[in-house]
Amino acid sequence: MALTALAIGGCKGPTDLAVLPVYDEGFQRTYFEAQNHLAKGDLDLAYTSFLACLDMQPAERALRFDLAKIDLQREQYESAISHLDPVLEADEDHRWAHEYRAEAWLALGDAELALEDLLWVVKARPGDLDWIYDWGMKLADAGEPATALALCDAYETQTPGDPDVRLQRLYFLELLSDYEAIYHGLEEAVAEFPDIAEFKLQWAQMLRATGQDEAALAALLQVVNDDPSNGVAQLDLAHLYTALNEIGKAQEALLIAFASQDVFIEEKREILVQYLQIASVDPGLNPMVEALLEAALGQHPKSADLHLLAADYEQGQGRPGAAIVHAQAAIEANPADPLAWTNLIALDADLERAKDMLAHAAHAVDLFPLDANFAYYAAVAALELADFTAVVQWLERGLGVILDAPEMEGLMHGMLGDALHEIGEPARAFAAYEKSLQRLPDNPAVLNNYAYYLAEADEDLPRALELSTRLMELAPTEPNFMDTHAWALYKNGQYPEALDFITQALFQSKGQGAAFWEHDGDIRLAMGDIAGAVASWKRALETGGETDAINVKIQAHE
């Protein structure tokens, strides 16, 4: 059986079928095994089989080419060169061998030898623009911009007058920080390619960088006169007008730039952020902000980032309904962005849309099951709806995934304690409060509720007093906290101290709630002041206290 497929991957083979070599069956079987392994992606076995073929037919250069290609894939660059050298000795015009050897030399850090092979390809294939661009960028990415520049120069010698190569050349000069060469190169390019706007734009930037603002302005105006819709030129013009303190012209140019697809969305977003910050202290800029948002969204209607900015702006303007529309659009544009969901949920909270807040938070929990924040938001919404069982369920789900967030964990355990108390599970509630205080030992809300509920339940009264005492250290003039401390003192039998704090609570409280008066009555009764107790209980009734329970006390002591 004659083998006619050795010249793979660009390797030149005999063109006269009559002179094709005929190899024995063992060689052919091993060769096709190598091809099989190669097709399956098993480079090691393919390499071993090709080596076996080479042992049988050491003069077959196509085998060395196959081995070199595998060496490159396995990053065995020196071995690749050792196989490519004899291929090129036998056939100096083998384009792919030159190119692959250049790749190996570059990987080994020898850009000079790589360039020798690449220059051969440039001479052999003049005018291949894609090739010169790809190899130029490959050299630059490998940290060899000077070599990339030399390759461009060789290409231009063979094929002069290509603006794309000239632009790439300027990029390599920039990597080399050769600004003098860039200056003169741009000056020449503007004259040589008067119809290429990119050269004029870069020339204007160079003029600005060298303090020649008037000349830069002239160059930019020439571009926008030829093409008023050139967004990049209009953006540069806006920056230049701003530097020249011509704000009206700057804003005109900026609006055109924002309505253009030429300007990257990231640039528009950055400028909008700056305008929003300034407008927060100078509301006179709000019309411009709105115009920029409209122009940007007109070009990028599905940009989640822009819709989020618009939502923030509308919320700041007191238009939460419009903010909601943009927040929802941001989610539609990018439902995988947790920030968009957080923004929408916050707007729900501001608008007191508890049902919507719960629905959105629940959806976000499904999308981001490891983000405990969304479970917390769902719990807050359920709390607003007075669905305490749901509050417990959401908080337990969130606490199951929370990690390295002690403050959030403390808040969640505190809320869990409140919800568990509401559904009649005091033991679990107290355990949750303890966990909350381990993370946030000075959380006034938890200290207050925990102390009060312990006192009410007559459980661990010393702990209740300890908590309420700490509460007084943190907020000594808060009437509700004074009431809690008074109640803990009362339950611990410290009646004079309890009376002192309940009196202060009544004095400090504007509303003087029914619970304060009822506690005052209970403390006075414990001190033997029956008349004072009855008077306080009656005041409790007058301020909306629980009628039946208080009447029982009054009737028992009148």
Side-chain angles (χ1 to χ4, degrees):
M1 177 180 181
L3 182 63
T4 61
L6 276 177
I8 65 171
C11 185
K12 292 176 61 178
T15 56
D16 186 353
L17 296 179
V19 299
L20 282 173
V22 177
Y23 297 111
D24 61 37
E25 185 177 346
F27 176 90
Q28 293 185 56
R29 185 182 299 111
T30 305
Y31 176 79
F32 285 115
E33 282 178 2
Q35 292 285 15
N36 235 3
H37 294 314
L38 201 58
K40 293 177 181 178
D42 194 329
L43 299 181
D44 291 337
L45 286 177
Y47 197 85
T48 301
S49 296
F50 279 131
L51 276 179
C53 288
L54 191 62
D55 286 339
M56 288 183 266
Q57 297 293 335
E60 183 52 71
R61 305 300 183 193
L63 293 169
R64 290 194 175 277
F65 186 74
D66 286 326
L67 288 164
K69 289 196 299 181
I70 296 174
D71 279 329
L72 286 174
Q73 288 181 268
R74 298 194 307 173
E75 300 182 356
Q76 302 294 320
Y77 301 114
E78 291 179 350
S79 178
I81 291 170
S82 71
H83 288 303
L84 290 168
D85 282 345
V87 172
L88 286 167
E89 287 169 9
D91 181 8
E92 186 182 353
D93 294 333
H94 195 308
R95 175 265 176 102
W96 289 106
H98 278 291
E99 193 163 342
Y100 287 152
R101 190 168 67 176
E103 189 175 330
W105 282 126
L106 183 62
L108 289 171
D110 197 327
E112 187 175 342
L113 287 176
L115 182 61
E116 288 182 14
D117 277 314
L118 294 174
L119 290 176
W120 183 95
V121 179
V122 168
K123 292 175 184 177
R125 297 175 59 85
D128 192 338
L129 183 62
D130 290 338
W131 183 90
I132 196 70
Y133 181 83
D134 289 344
W135 260 104
M137 294 306 296
K138 187 180 294 187
L139 288 165
D141 291 343
E144 296 291 343
T147 307
L149 190 62
L151 192 63
C152 280
D153 290 342
Y155 180 92
E156 284 201 297
T157 300
Q158 297 286 114
T159 313
D162 194 316
D164 290 325
V165 176
R166 191 67 61 87
L167 283 167
Q168 191 180 41
R169 190 177 187 283
L170 290 168
Y171 170 68
F172 299 145
L173 286 171
E174 185 177 358
L175 292 179
L176 291 166
S177 300
D178 191 345
Y179 297 110
E180 184 176 353
I182 294 173
Y183 186 97
H184 294 299
L186 281 170
E187 193 172 25
E188 293 171 2
V190 167
E192 190 176 344
F193 304 100
D195 297 329
I196 306 295
E198 181 64 28
F199 289 119
K200 293 176 184 174
L201 289 172
Q202 292 195 25
W203 178 234
Q205 292 170 2
M206 176 60 73
L207 290 169
R208 283 204 66 196
T210 53
Q212 302 176 70
D213 284 356
E214 292 299 329
L217 180 60
L220 289 172
L221 287 175
Q222 189 177 0
V223 175
V224 299
N225 285 337
D226 293 339
D227 180 11
S229 65
N230 188 313
V232 176
Q234 293 285 3
L235 184 60
D236 285 349
L237 200 55
H239 290 316
L240 181 51
Y241 276 136
T242 300
L244 296 172
N245 203 31
E246 297 190 45
I247 304 304
K249 290 182 178 180
Q251 292 181 345
E252 279 182 36
L254 196 58
L255 283 170
I256 297 172
F258 266 53
S260 169
Q261 289 185 338
D262 299 336
V263 180
F264 291 130
I265 190 172
E266 293 80 10
E267 290 183 272
K268 295 176 183 177
R269 183 187 179 282
E270 184 178 344
I271 292 169
L272 272 168
V273 168
Q274 293 172 0
Y275 262 87
L276 285 167
Q277 290 172 343
I278 299 171
S280 66
V281 294
D282 180 7
L285 280 177
N286 284 339
M288 184 61 183
V289 171
E290 292 176 13
L292 289 173
L293 280 169
E294 183 179 356
L297 285 169
Q299 278 298 324
H300 314 281
K302 294 186 177 180
S303 166
D305 284 343
L306 291 179
H307 278 294
L308 283 174
L309 285 179
D312 288 343
Y313 173 74
E314 295 293 353
Q315 187 178 13
Q317 296 302 304
R319 298 192 287 262
I324 285 279
V325 171
H326 284 294
Q328 290 173 329
I331 285 173
E332 289 174 10
N334 185 11
D337 182 5
L339 179 60
W341 285 97
T342 300
N343 199 55
L344 178 60
I345 292 165
L347 286 167
D348 288 331
D350 287 348
L351 290 170
E352 298 181 353
R353 306 191 325 173
K355 288 184 179 179
D356 290 334
M357 181 181 177
L358 180 57
H360 292 145
H363 194 169
V365 168
D366 291 337
L367 290 173
F368 313 102
L370 298 181
D371 191 331
N373 289 300
F374 291 115
Y376 175 73
Y377 302 148
V380 171
L383 188 63
E384 286 293 314
L385 296 169
D387 187 347
F388 300 108
T389 300
V391 173
V392 171
Q393 292 170 346
W394 285 117
L395 289 172
E396 288 179 336
R397 182 166 179 172
L399 287 165
V401 297
I402 200 165
L403 183 66
D404 293 332
E407 185 172 349
M408 174 59 77
E409 192 174 357
L411 290 173
M412 293 175 76
H413 276 298
M415 186 187 293
L416 179 61
D418 294 342
L420 287 167
H421 182 269
E422 290 290 341
I423 63 174
E425 296 195 38
R428 290 179 63 199
F430 298 155
Y433 286 139
E434 287 290 348
K435 290 180 180 177
S436 177
L437 292 173
Q438 287 172 11
R439 278 72 174 179
L440 293 175
D442 290 335
N443 185 330
V446 173
L447 288 168
N448 179 70
N449 292 351
Y450 189 16
Y452 188 78
Y453 293 147
L454 281 173
E456 278 284 274
D458 289 322
E459 285 198 26
D460 201 350
L461 295 176
R463 178 63 170 153
L465 185 55
E466 177 189 352
L467 296 169
S468 67
T469 300
R470 178 58 182 153
L471 191 59
M472 285 294 92
E473 293 171 357
L474 294 171
T477 61
E478 168 56 45
N480 285 312
F481 297 168
M482 289 179 182
D483 172 66
T484 296
H485 188 46
W487 200 236
L489 287 164
Y490 163 74
K491 289 287 187 169
N492 278 275
Q494 299 181 31
Y495 304 131
E497 295 90 339
L499 183 60
D500 178 46
F501 274 95
I502 196 62
T503 301
Q504 290 185 58
L506 286 165
F507 179 77
Q508 294 285 351
S509 174
K510 293 180 180 179
Q512 295 185 337
F516 286 20
W517 285 113
E518 185 175 0
H519 290 162
D520 183 77
D522 292 349
I523 294 167
R524 290 182 183 277
L525 178 65
M527 297 181 69
D529 182 3
I530 297 175
V534 170
S536 292
W537 290 330
K538 287 181 178 179
R539 290 291 298 273
L541 285 177
E542 292 169 5
T543 52
E546 187 181 344
T547 305
D548 291 344
I550 295 174
N551 275 330
V552 168
K553 294 180 183 180
I554 293 171
Q555 291 167 7
H557 296 93
E558 271 190 322

